[in-house]
Amino acid sequence: MLSPLRPPAWVCSSCLRHLRQKGVRRSLATAAAVHVGSNAIPQTPDLNRSKPVTSQDDRNLREIFDSESFWREFSKPSFSKRLGPEVGLCQNRYLTTSEGFEAFAQSTLERCRKIVNKVLDASAVEEYRSIARDLDRLSDLLCRVIDLTDFVRSTHPDPKFQTAATNAYALMFEYMNVLNTTTGLKEQLQNAAQNPEVLSSWSEEERIVVQILMKDFSRSAIDLPQRERQSFVRLSNTVSHLGSKFLDEMEPAISELTFESSRLKGVPPNMLKEHTNAFGRIVVPTMSAISASALRYAEDDSVRKEIYLANHTASKSQIQVLEKLLYHRAKLANLSSYPSFSSMTLADKMAKSPQAVNRFLKALWTDNFPRVQEDLDLMRTLKALHRQAEIPIVDNPPPIMLKAWERDYYRHRLSHVLRRAPTPTRRPDFLPAFFSLGTVMQGLSRLFTRLYGVRFAPRGTDPGETWNHSVRRLDVIDESEGHIAVVYCDLFARPGKSPNPAHFTLRCSRLIPSHEISEVASSSNPLVSRLPPHQAANDGMATSLPDSSGSCYQLPTIALICDFTPPSNPLHPTLLSFREVQTLFHEMGHAVHSILGRTQLQNVSGTRCATDFAELPSVLMEYFAADQSVLKLFARHWETDAPLPYEMVEENLKAERAGAAAETGHQIVLAMLDQAYHSAAPLGLPEGNFDSTKVWHEVSMRYGCGAEPRGTNWQGFFGHLVGYGGVYYSYLFDRAIAGKVWEGVFGSGSKGKLVRGERGDGGAVSREAGEKFRSEVLKWGGGRDGWKCVAGVLGEADLEEGGEKAMEKVGKWGVGS
């Protein structure tokens, strides 16, 4: 029924143990008034938007990330705050201690039950008119707990908080199971939707939310007879269990390999040292960083072959779990009246059908294939030169073939050749010297100011507000609307912290109408005695000020997680590699979607959109990260303040693109494999007879760079099948759209300006281009069909209705080089 969880952030398979929702928000003017009363906790002061403060914020933004001593002083709470009560985690007043999670969950459940009763009792037209917003509010209350507890249990360093958050999370899901059997909720929603008077009164947002909720109801099998519904629940539990088992127990057939150190020539010595046993031999775990490194660097071809075969061969039990998962997913879809799991999953995506996805993928493969051949020809040439250096030249030599375990090795060599010989400006540490973490954050703020009129304002945190002293808080300030969002930046590595970058939505944007605020003010809510009613209505977390009608917005609250290495010298800043800069820009793309998602209802706010549309803003941001006019905004040497010589970035990009088409080809293969696995095929055979390995080899042979070695079954390590079953094409799809938006809206940035012979910085820092992307894409969240967003921003009306031809057209755009 109500479905607060959405697909997780796009991360590698090892990160998919926690499905993370990507919800989001809206915005309005802010700053919180201090509640008058002896127990009042000091609120956020009104944020002055004058130029001096803006300049000061800009300077402080760099310093709080680059200088630990500055941050300690900046974030030091005032004397009155040190004496006062803690504000609670992310300002949630329930969460001043770990025990507060239970109170938070119980208070939320009480409010949920009142809404459910209200919906079930509705009979008058006026009552039916409010059902869309009532159910959206119910979903929001569930998400308030689930989003925050999911984040805390995976990120908070305190085991007590983790345990308490896990318990609250489980409690909310238990209640959701109750809702999923409450047939009256769907019946009332249908009654409302079938009433012409009610339907005509709903806004476009309300209609879209109703469509989402009806689909969620259908997916929960609430319409099925009792026996079939019980089967649906059992199958759902089986699928969930098998998915977790596939991820948690992922293992290769051979867990480790052992080599004489002399055979691993070329692998970084520090890695070899870490894996040397008592007998001086190198122990290489099959699934590890050193095995991946050996495939790129080891000069001994036989070593690379042995490692490749091992880390492309999953255990027999792992393959059995996968094939059971695919079978039960197909059975679940069939019970829900869909021909395949992919058909069921794609029904509410931009693609709509497996046929459309396959047309996109085949068009993309056709566009990419010539560049794949160019990449392979270059790598084969390198191999030929390599062989000539090792063996005598003979007449009529056999054609050079590139084996599976040679691709990474020669791609790395090609990249190395393109980087040319080391010079003082080509040392590995040269580029990072221009990318201190503080300057990159400063650059992001300056970029968003130019594009969208929003900036970051550093703010010291209150006692109990964050989960670690290294977490920085940024308030997002709109030049006309004031405070519109809160971003908590947890960017530094620490023991026990996940290394995977991620964007969490801790609270979505949503309009809190005046009657809800009045309801809280007259209730027994314990927060009312300490907070203004409009803030108590949001559990103490950030809100806008009430408008003339008495309504306000709950502001999006976001956690941005990275794992950047702190400097060894405390007087030096953290320096980022160019790849880390791209990562930070990517994650900030999700954040800006959350911040600028302008909807009144949380079900469609920000990143709560179709899975195959959600990556567009973040992928687009990667183009900005490499644009000269954007880098000119901030990239300066941390010691000398010298500007970044852009030719070094160009050289780095050229080297990164070496073999990029072949990598895109590999992603197409995986997307094709995903569709094949989630077709009707697994159900067309008795359980246990579907051969996933045969399908893997057939798809690889047809669409890949060549045959995979016999006996391998890499699909056992395809972790994205769990979180992205049926929708793995999404990232490629959004890459294609992002490339077209970069070219068509932002004029390909500085590169496009040079091609056109124009002066100035180019479209990458153009307010006109930024406002167009904001008004056609970002502000809608999921409140507008993705195809309409794409058609609007690109000015291509033929895309507006989507369909198979539109999917094929996007595939023909390609994904760039």
Side-chain angles (χ1 to χ4, degrees), residues 602-647:
Q602 70 88 33
N603 261 290
V604 291
S605 60
T607 53
R608 287 185 185 277
C609 54
T611 305
D612 51 4
F613 193 60
E615 291 290 325
L616 172 58
S618 55
V619 175
L620 181 63
M621 280 297 292
E622 294 177 24
Y623 284 93
F624 287 96
D627 185 79
Q628 185 175 9
S629 59
V630 174
L631 293 173
K632 281 169 60 178
L633 296 175
F634 68 94
R636 306 185 74 84
H637 196 282
W638 73 275
E639 284 184 301
T640 67
D641 203 42
L644 170 70
Y646 187 70
E647 60 271 15

Side-chain angles (χ1 to χ4, degrees), residues 2-4 21 24 104 108 111-112 115 133-147 172 213 505-512 516 537-539 554 600-603 605 608:
L2 298 171
S3 175
Q21 165 184 303
V24 190
F104 180 33
T108 300
R111 295 160 77 179
C112 287
I115 295 173
R133 290 183 180 271
D134 289 336
L135 290 179
D136 183 77
R137 183 187 179 193
L138 177 60
S139 180
D140 178 61
L141 288 170
L142 293 168
C143 289
R144 287 184 181 191
V145 180
I146 288 172
D147 290 349
M172 299 311 292
L213 294 175
T505 300
L506 309 181
R507 183 62 52 98
C508 287
S509 171
R510 174 182 168 271
L511 177 70
I512 306 177
E516 287 184 24
N538 197 35
D539 309 316
Q554 56 192 47
Q600 293 187 11
L601 303 179
Q602 70 88 33
N603 261 290
S605 60
R608 287 185 185 277

Side-chain angles (χ1 to χ4, degrees), residues 3-138:
S3 175
L5 290 183
R6 296 289 188 267
W10 197 275
V11 291
C12 66
S13 59
S14 63
C15 313
L16 289 174
R17 285 171 171 77
H18 300 287
L19 293 182
R20 295 166 182 162
Q21 165 184 303
K22 301 165 87 171
V24 190
R25 39 258 114 201
R26 173 161 158 74
S27 17
L28 242 231
T30 316
V34 177
H35 180 47
V36 179
S38 58
N39 294 324
I41 296 176
Q43 305 302 316
T44 307
D46 193 4
L47 290 163
N48 189 324
R49 296 191 292 274
S50 65
K51 289 186 178 180
V53 173
T54 301
S55 300
Q56 186 64 51
D57 286 340
D58 185 68
R59 289 192 294 271
N60 289 347
L61 186 57
R62 176 175 180 174
E63 291 299 322
I64 65 167
F65 288 101
D66 281 355
S67 171
E68 181 62 29
S69 60
F70 182 91
W71 167 245
R72 282 198 302 269
E73 189 63 31
F74 182 87
S75 62
K76 186 182 296 181
S78 65
F79 181 73
S80 62
K81 288 184 178 180
R82 290 200 299 270
L83 292 180
E86 292 194 351
V87 298
L89 195 62
C90 303
Q91 295 187 301
N92 187 309
R93 297 310 200 267
Y94 288 102
L95 306 183
T96 55
T97 66
S98 60
E99 288 78 11
F101 281 96
E102 183 176 0
F104 180 33
Q106 292 293 350
S107 174
T108 300
L109 287 175
E110 182 180 346
R111 295 160 77 179
C112 287
R113 293 184 183 109
K114 289 180 180 178
I115 295 173
V116 170
N117 291 335
K118 178 186 176 185
V119 171
L120 294 176
D121 291 342
S123 58
V125 170
E126 198 59 39
E127 292 170 329
Y128 279 125
R129 280 178 177 150
S130 70
I131 278 183
R133 290 183 180 271
D134 289 336
L135 290 179
D136 183 77
R137 183 187 179 193
L138 177 60

Side-chain angles (χ1 to χ4, degrees), residues 313-327:
T313 307
S315 66
K316 184 177 180 180
S317 61
Q318 180 74 359
I319 299 301
Q320 289 173 343
V321 170
L322 171 61
E323 291 172 354
K324 286 181 180 178
L325 173 64
L326 298 176
Y327 176 81

Side-chain angles (χ1 to χ4, degrees), residues 31 43 86 457 480 514 543 573 711 749 752 754:
Q43 305 302 316
E86 292 194 351
S480 60
S514 58
T543 65
L754 291 173

